[in-house]
Amino acid sequence: AFIITIKDLKQRARDRSALLMVFVIPLALVLIFSQALAGVTGSPSELKFVFADPDKSEIGTVFHDQVLKTLEADGLITLSLAVTEEEASGAIAAGDAGAAIVIPSGFEESIYSGSPDAIQVIGHADAFLSPLVAKAIADSFASELNTLIISAAAAGVDLADAGALGRIAGEIALTKGIVTIDDFSASRKELDATTFYSAGMAIFFVFFSVQFGITSLIEERNRGTMPRLIAAPIPTWSILAGKVLSTFVVGVMSMAVLVVASTFIVGAEWGDLVGVTVLVLLAVLSAMGIMTLVATVVRTAEQAGNAQAIVAVAMGMLGGTFFPVAQIGGLIEKVSLLTPHAWFMRGLSGLQSGGNLGDVWQEAAAILIFALVTGAIGFARARRLVAP
């Protein structure tokens, strides 16, 4: 069995197409996806704002001190100051910040006239989260300001009177929760884009990596080399065991290389090492079982390769290796659980949230069930390929 394993591994090492499919293409796709989506994803630590209030108005001072500085103190944003709107726009153009919030010149005078100007938000063209968050903050503050101005007008307060606007600013300063951040943290967070596509490509391509073992059995049967192996003074079980072992080694190497490479090259965060190792091993076993079962229902190696490719692509897409099916929800999310891919991705989400193997045992058990059921049927049928 070990001799056959080593022989098959040497064959795979000389097969350039296999090397491309097992190692090169998955890593290349991870690099492409992570770079393409680098500007789409972000975290609160990446929210860099510039604030400008040319007139040094009371309203602007309250907005800066009571809202923006509070968010910065909580570690939610990074804040810098600009003197003029042009300076704030220059900081955005230079890429020093993702968004700028500007209290326009003459803002308080516009309130006196009854036609208040809008608080301006300037966003970087390539930013995604920063302009949206900045606009939400400005809208929330403006809404509170409008409410107080309307209340003052209803009470007969002349905003042009000395100190009236200052009193309104004071009321805003006393208002709690002008901008609130609610914690809706799930028990398991979504994988970041880099880790998501690293994990997705790892389990997607392992289904192609493991197909060589079973198809080589069919090839040797069709080429006439299998009868020679059977006639040799070796147990027939060792032939199948050698194929299984070489397939397992190739599958594990495929995923292990992608885990390590994505960690050091693109900064993927896989989580607890023990948990990741168990999920990877189970994913390889489930891929072996499914691909073996598919191959045993056809007659030729070419038919097996085509059928395996169709199943691998269909299960990969349904299992959420190209897009997070959890965001779609509904029937698709439920149907995706019929694939080991979905359980693998769910398990990694739990590990990235700070969990360990004990926290993802359900996902690991689900993948193991796929491996045991399909593997038992598939390898039982594969025994006929090494029968005399």
Side-chain angles (χ1 to χ4, degrees):
F2 286 110
I3 292 174
I4 293 174
T5 297
I6 295 173
K7 183 267 297 181
D8 279 2
L9 292 177
K10 289 181 178 179
Q11 285 184 329
R12 295 293 160 252
R14 293 192 296 266
D15 188 345
R16 294 182 179 179
S17 62
L19 293 177
L20 286 173
M21 183 66 70
V22 173
F23 302 113
V24 179
I25 296 178
L27 184 57
L29 288 176
V30 169
L31 293 173
I32 292 172
F33 282 132
S34 61
Q35 291 300 315
L37 296 173
V40 177
T41 59
S43 64
S45 62
E46 298 169 340
L47 299 177
K48 298 181 179 180
F49 295 160
V50 177
F51 176 73
D53 180 18
D55 292 344
K56 304 296 182 181
S57 62
E58 292 179 291
I59 297 295
T61 300
V62 170
F63 187 33
H64 174 266
D65 295 344
Q66 302 298 322
V67 179
L68 298 180
K69 292 298 290 184
T70 300
L71 295 176
E72 185 181 38
D74 292 338
L76 298 173
I77 65 172
T78 300
L79 184 65
S80 60
L81 297 178
V83 177
T84 64
E85 179 182 343
E86 290 73 19
E87 184 180 341
S89 298
I92 299 299
D96 297 331
I101 301 176
V102 179
I103 304 296
S105 181
F107 181 72
E108 290 191 353
E109 286 74 10
S110 69
I111 295 177
Y112 297 147
S113 66
S115 300
D117 292 335
I119 298 176
Q120 299 174 5
V121 175
I122 306 169
H124 193 284
D126 295 331
F128 178 73
L129 288 179
S130 292
L132 294 178
V133 175
K135 184 178 184 302
I137 293 173
D139 285 345
S140 180
F141 180 82
S143 176
E144 182 67 28
L145 177 61
N146 288 336
T147 299
L148 291 174
I149 290 175
I150 293 172
S151 299
V157 176
D158 186 358
L159 296 178
D161 288 345
L165 204 56
R167 290 194 296 273
I168 291 179
E171 290 291 333
I172 296 177
L174 295 175
T175 301
K176 301 298 183 181
I178 297 174
V179 176
T180 59
I181 305 297
D182 292 328
D183 184 2
F184 292 105
S185 300
S187 59
R188 298 186 181 186
K189 64 180 181 180
E190 288 291 333
L191 295 171
D192 61 83
T194 299
T195 307
F196 175 84
Y197 284 108
S198 298
M201 294 303 98
I203 191 169
F204 178 77
F205 278 97
V206 78
F207 275 70
F208 291 93
S209 303
V210 302
Q211 71 181 33
F212 298 111
I214 187 63
T215 54
S216 66
L217 274 177
I218 301 175
E219 288 176 350
E220 293 188 12
R221 186 82 181 185
N222 294 339
R223 292 175 180 175
T225 56
M226 183 59 70
R228 297 181 184 180
L229 287 174
I230 296 174
I234 57 175
T236 55
W237 65 263
S238 63
I239 301 173
L240 183 59
K243 299 293 184 182
V244 170
L245 186 56
S246 65
T247 302
F248 181 74
V249 171
V250 171
V252 171
M253 289 179 60
S254 171
M255 297 195 74
V257 167
L258 195 56
V259 170
V260 174
S262 63
T263 299
F264 289 100
I265 296 177
V266 297
E269 300 178 1
W270 293 79
D272 178 66
L273 179 60
V274 175
V276 172
T277 301
V278 172
L279 290 178
V280 165
L281 295 178
L282 291 177
V284 173
L285 291 175
S286 67
M288 290 173 58
I290 293 172
M291 291 293 98
T292 300
L293 178 59
V294 172
T296 57
V297 300
V298 296
R299 294 182 177 274
T300 67
E302 182 179 2
Q303 291 175 346
N306 292 335
Q308 288 173 327
I310 293 173
V311 172
V313 172
M315 295 188 71
M317 295 185 67
L318 182 61
T321 59
F322 292 97
F323 55 89
V325 294
Q327 294 183 3
I328 299 177
L331 181 61
I332 294 181
E333 182 182 8
K334 295 179 181 179
V335 174
S336 70
L337 298 180
L338 298 176
T339 69
H341 305 66
W343 291 103
F344 179 78
M345 303 297 283
R346 285 165 61 98
L348 287 181
S349 296
L351 295 179
Q352 198 185 57
S353 301
N356 52 36
L357 182 60
D359 299 310
V360 298
W361 68 268
Q362 291 179 320
E363 288 79 3
I367 302 173
L368 179 60
I369 292 174
F370 279 103
L372 292 177
V373 174
T374 59
I377 301 174
F379 288 112
R381 292 177 57 86
R383 291 180 60 184
R384 62 182 175 83
L385 298 175
V386 294

